Amino acid sequence: MSTKPEQDDYWLLTQALLGLRGTVRREIAQSRPDLALPEPGPEEQNVDGAIRVPAQFVWLADYLALSTFEQNLLLLCLGAEIDPVLPKLYQIAGDNPRPSIGLALRFFRGEWVNLSPQSPLRRWHLVLFQDPKNILHSPVFLAERTLHFLLGTACIDSALAGYLKPLAVRFDLIHCPAIQTLIQAWGSGDPSGAMLTQLQGSDQKEREQTTVSIAEALAQKTYHCDLHDFPTGIDELSDLFALLGREIILGALVLYIDCDALFDEQLPVLRIRQLKKILSELGDYFPWNILLGAAQAITQLDLPLKVIRLRERSGDEQAQIWRQRLEQSTPDDMALLTDLSEQFRLTVGQIDNIARQWKTEGFEELSEEGYRRLWQLCRQHVRQAMQTKARLVDARATGADLILPDRSRYLLSQLIVQAKQRDKVYRQWGFAERSSRGLGLIALFSGPPGTGKTTAAEVIANELQLDLLHIDLSQTVSKYIGETEKNLEEVFTLAEKSRAILLFDEADALFAKRNQVSSSNDRYANQQVSFLLQRVESYQGVSILTTNLRQSFDEAFLRRFRFIIPFSLPNADERKRIWEIIFPERMPIEDIDFTHLAQYQLSGGEIGNAAMSAAFKAADRQIPVGMKQIEQA
């Protein structure tokens, strides 16, 4: 419903005002023939006396069901503002250059019902009275916002500048059946669909952009307002809502009201009262122009409210959002963005922030460097929340830092291959369509302490350019029923945003041989195991569980692992290779017999500790590291 004036609107308005002059002249001549009237100009001679109003008047009359009298009142008021002759005629007829209701009743037939406080012109402050206590004889004039509208000028009411924020479209987010149904109902004007609607979703940016997309589909504008900003006084609220209603009417806009403040623990009752006032003042009149938004379902109102839950978008849909925001469109670009979307499940707000930062840093194309930087920005945006629930490992180890038997190294390389190619196999080749289970990679690293299990996890994280989250199951498992599942669920929910690699240390804390159920504690322990198994199987990333005691694992559990990689104590050749790479290049060393050191039966971790201890001894004496310091260590 556009308010843009047609090309002939100026001519129509001019003719309407000329016709109004003739009507006023005739009424004065009939009621007061003794009064001298200004001579009519030549332009008035060619007017047939009929008043044909421009499109803005017609649209407003239809929208508000205005009577002919109300339409003529608007024209009378407009004439006082822009016509050079009509104010003089009003002065002669009523002693004031502005018309009054009494004067309008003299010129045109009307009824008092058209002037009640609930009439559209008064309820929405389209016209104002100089003396509200003397409605009949008080000069009446157009609100400035109404004047601009009738003249075809697009603007926003200055009194609402502190409450309304315009929202521009950045993404097309209406690919949802519930949203399409809503658009059809609003567009058709079917009264059966006239119900207030809430968009529920944790991402405010997505709620806003969905509203903008809906409004765009209906050729309307969108403005955002927040319950936090509303005044607390009832009278102030009433005045504000009258102005908001007027803006909805004249601006042809959709109003998005952010209601997260309803869940503010400090002022919940006040916010509920504010929202109820909004809906009582505006909701019944504009159910198709108001969308409520909140992270949680709004249940405190005791009013019928349609809730549309914004679902998580698929990788392909998210790739399209990336495409829109980054302005990339080649097939190669889309392939990269699809890979990015399959790896990182981000909100619209996060995508918007990341894209803005990426562009600010000077990137324009998805070159190798540009894509690598985009990947790193995605990791950074999801990393902070994850660190609150698990320890983020600074993964620096590479394949050169890991000395393993050939069989274990081969299995590790195959795990990395499957992690890199899982999108192609699952999504492009269709394996994911068969089942949602088993789409992640679950590996068990078993072996004594210090044999490289954590280092191997770091190598995987570096190869895949993903974060490594360390979860100590011995600390996560709670003695309180339900707490373990809750703790683990929070970790998985956060990790799924980036498909981070999960490293569950000391897995035997949960996966020891299955208990015979002889008590409620045994039953609960088995429930914890079942929950973790179910969760790692549904997690579409890499989950690594480590144990020092593989023999304690129930065989039924071992069948669930894709990879079981043994980590054994190194033999003499492997120990020698570990000694050869353990010292940093910048560290001074002299006369080290690596073959001799390999005779000490130490694990890789113990060799690392010994090397560092020797380095401190040498640094204290300000000499290079030699055999003496190492053997002492």
Side-chain angles (χ1 to χ4, degrees):
M1 46 186 176
S2 172
T3 59
K4 183 178 178 180
E6 301 295 334
Q7 291 184 352
D8 61 347
D9 271 359
Y10 179 78
W11 182 86
L12 281 174
L13 180 58
T14 301
Q15 295 301 300
L17 292 175
L18 292 175
L20 180 60
R21 288 187 199 175
T23 298
V24 174
R25 286 179 183 278
R26 287 190 296 272
E27 195 285 329
I28 296 176
Q30 292 174 4
S31 61
R32 295 291 304 277
D34 56 312
L35 295 177
L37 295 176
E39 290 296 324
E43 68 275 12
E44 293 182 47
Q45 304 297 327
N46 299 322
V47 177
D48 58 11
I51 299 178
R52 292 182 293 274
V53 293
Q56 296 95 307
F57 282 81
V58 175
W59 180 89
L60 190 61
D62 290 343
Y63 187 86
L64 296 178
L66 298 180
S67 66
T68 302
F69 174 77
E70 290 170 306
Q71 296 176 55
N72 288 330
L73 178 61
L74 288 175
L75 189 62
L76 278 171
C77 294
L78 182 62
E81 302 290 347
I82 66 172
D83 189 90
V85 176
L86 283 170
K88 299 175 184 178
L89 297 176
Y90 298 159
Q91 181 80 46
I92 294 172
D95 298 327
N96 196 296
R98 292 185 182 276
S100 65
I101 296 299
L103 200 65
L105 290 170
R106 283 172 53 189
F107 295 156
F108 307 103
R109 289 186 177 182
E111 298 180 2
W112 275 108
V113 68
N114 301 137
L115 306 171
S116 72
Q118 299 305 312
S119 64
L121 296 185
R122 293 186 62 190
R123 180 180 182 84
W124 305 119
H125 294 191
L126 296 171
V127 298
L128 304 174
F129 294 93
Q130 186 172 305
D131 181 6
K133 296 181 179 179
N134 186 13
I135 297 299
L136 184 62
H137 301 293
S138 169
V140 60
F141 57 96
L142 294 177
E144 182 181 357
R145 181 67 181 91
T146 313
L147 173 64
H148 288 306
F149 171 81
L150 293 178
L151 294 178
T153 304
C155 65
I156 189 75
D157 196 321
S158 58
L160 295 175
Y163 300 100
L164 298 183
K165 178 183 73 174
L167 294 177
V169 63
R170 290 180 181 268
F171 313 101
D172 179 10
L173 299 181
I174 58 175
H175 302 298
C176 170
I179 296 296
Q180 294 292 344
T181 301
L182 183 69
I183 292 173
Q184 292 173 5
W186 284 16
S188 67
D190 181 4
S192 62
M195 181 183 294
L196 282 167
T197 303
Q198 179 204 345
L199 297 179
Q200 181 186 347
S202 59
D203 181 21
Q204 176 181 322
K205 183 75 70 175
E206 177 150 4
R207 302 192 310 252
E208 290 179 351
Q209 285 297 302
T210 300
T211 304
V212 174
S213 297
I214 293 171
E216 285 280 314
L218 299 170
Q220 295 176 312
K221 299 183 290 293
T222 311
Y223 281 83
H224 169 285
C225 63
D226 196 316
L227 277 182
H228 278 296
D229 299 329
F230 286 158
T232 56
I234 296 299
D235 292 339
E236 293 175 289
L237 280 173
S238 296
D239 291 339
L240 173 62
F241 296 149
L243 298 183
L244 286 173
R246 184 174 72 195
E247 199 60 47
I248 289 173
I249 296 168
L250 303 184
L253 60 85
V254 172
L255 186 64
Y256 170 81
I257 304 176
D258 192 321
C259 299
D260 279 335
L262 282 178
F263 306 97
D264 187 335
E265 294 182 359
Q266 296 180 347
L267 300 170
V269 177
L270 173 63
R271 302 304 182 195
I272 293 170
R273 186 165 64 244
Q274 285 178 321
L275 186 56
K276 284 186 175 180
K277 183 69 174 175
I278 292 174
L279 301 184
S280 64
E281 295 279 352
L282 298 176
D284 290 344
Y285 294 92
F286 309 108
W288 290 321
N289 295 82
I290 295 176
L291 274 173
L292 309 179
Q296 305 177 44
I298 302 173
T299 59
Q300 306 98 315
L301 299 175
D302 298 324
L303 293 171
L305 189 65
K306 180 182 179 62
V307 178
I308 296 178
R309 293 174 178 83
L310 301 179
R311 60 178 176 81
E312 181 178 303
R313 300 184 181 278
S314 68
D316 288 338
E317 290 174 328
Q318 187 169 297
Q320 290 297 328
I321 295 174
W322 277 115
R323 180 190 63 78
Q324 294 175 44
R325 194 64 184 91
L326 297 178
E327 301 176 53
Q328 310 292 319
S329 58
T330 69
D332 289 343
D333 292 339
M334 286 307 300
L336 291 174
L337 293 176
T338 299
D339 290 343
L340 190 75
S341 300
E342 289 295 333
Q343 186 63 53
F344 300 98
R345 292 307 173 94
L346 302 173
T347 65
V348 170
Q350 288 173 319
I351 292 175
D352 195 35
N353 292 334
I354 293 169
R356 188 182 298 113
Q357 183 175 348
W358 187 77
K359 290 181 176 179
T360 301
E361 293 180 6
F363 293 101
E364 295 180 356
E365 298 180 354
L366 285 177
S367 60
E368 182 177 349
E369 181 185 0
Y371 183 67
R372 183 167 58 248
R373 181 54 181 155
L374 190 61
W375 185 283
Q376 292 301 324
L377 287 173
C378 291
R379 287 180 65 182
Q380 292 172 15
H381 269 71
V382 298
R383 185 176 291 167
Q384 185 174 2
M386 291 192 299
Q387 291 185 85
T388 63
K389 296 298 178 183
R391 181 170 66 86
L392 184 66
V393 178
D394 184 12
R396 299 183 181 182
T398 65
D401 300 319
L402 192 61
I403 306 299
L404 292 176
D406 290 344
R407 175 63 178 169
S408 298
R409 181 175 290 276
Y410 171 76
L411 290 173
L412 191 64
S413 68
Q414 291 305 297
L415 190 158
I416 293 172
V417 166
Q418 291 196 20
K420 285 183 175 179
Q421 302 301 328
R422 64 185 186 273
D423 178 58
K424 177 180 288 186
V425 172
Y426 293 154
R427 189 180 63 84
Q428 297 182 32
W429 290 359
F431 267 79
E433 298 172 5
R434 295 187 173 186
S435 173
S436 61
R437 298 184 60 184
L439 299 184
L441 279 175
I442 313 172
L444 177 67
F445 291 178
S446 66
T451 51
K453 298 187 292 295
T454 301
T455 303
E458 290 188 33
V459 171
I460 296 171
N462 258 330
E463 284 286 332
L464 301 178
Q465 284 295 291
L466 296 175
D467 289 326
L468 176 62
L469 287 180
H470 179 277
I471 302 103
D472 189 339
L473 284 176
S474 65
Q475 300 297 318
T476 306
V477 173
S478 173
K479 64 182 179 180
Y480 299 106
I481 294 177
E483 284 298 313
T484 298
E485 291 88 335
K486 178 182 177 182
N487 294 339
L488 291 172
E489 180 59 37
E490 289 177 347
V491 171
F492 278 106
T493 299
L494 291 171
E496 280 170 342
K497 301 299 181 183
S498 67
R499 307 282 171 81
I501 296 171
L502 300 180
L503 177 62
F504 294 94
D505 209 1
E506 298 190 38
D508 38 286
L510 269 185
F511 286 85
K513 293 184 185 295
R514 194 187 303 264
N515 292 324
Q516 294 296 323
V517 179
S518 59
S519 69
S520 59
N521 288 338
D522 295 336
R523 183 181 301 109
Y524 176 56
N526 288 340
Q527 287 176 358
Q528 291 177 331
V529 174
S530 298
F531 173 81
L532 182 57
L533 278 174
Q534 177 187 6
R535 204 59 183 83
V536 295
E537 284 187 326
S538 64
Y539 179 58
Q540 295 185 28
V542 178
S543 300
I544 301 171
L545 289 80
T546 71
T547 179
N548 302 333
L549 303 168
R550 175 182 168 177
Q551 64 273 18
S552 68
F553 268 59
D554 192 314
E555 287 297 322
F557 299 152
L558 294 178
R559 290 196 299 269
R560 317 289 274 275
F561 294 101
R562 182 85 63 87
F563 290 90
I564 299 177
I565 303 178
F567 288 76
S568 58
L569 290 171
N571 59 32
D573 289 340
E574 292 164 349
R575 289 195 295 269
K576 180 183 177 183
R577 289 161 58 196
I578 294 173
W579 277 113
E580 288 172 345
I581 67 172
I582 201 67
F583 295 107
E585 292 182 2
R586 296 198 304 272
M587 196 180 77
I589 60 175
E590 65 177 11
D591 301 329
I592 296 180
D593 186 348
F594 293 113
T595 302
H596 175 73
L597 291 176
Q599 303 308 309
Y600 292 98
Q601 296 187 11
L602 303 175
S603 69
E606 289 170 330
I607 292 173
N609 290 335
M612 186 165 297
S613 179
F616 277 110
K617 290 177 182 294
D620 184 54
R621 297 185 60 189
Q622 299 186 4
I623 61 174
V625 174
M627 287 295 291
K628 182 177 180 180
Q629 290 80 35
I630 296 174
E631 290 191 306
Q632 287 177 345

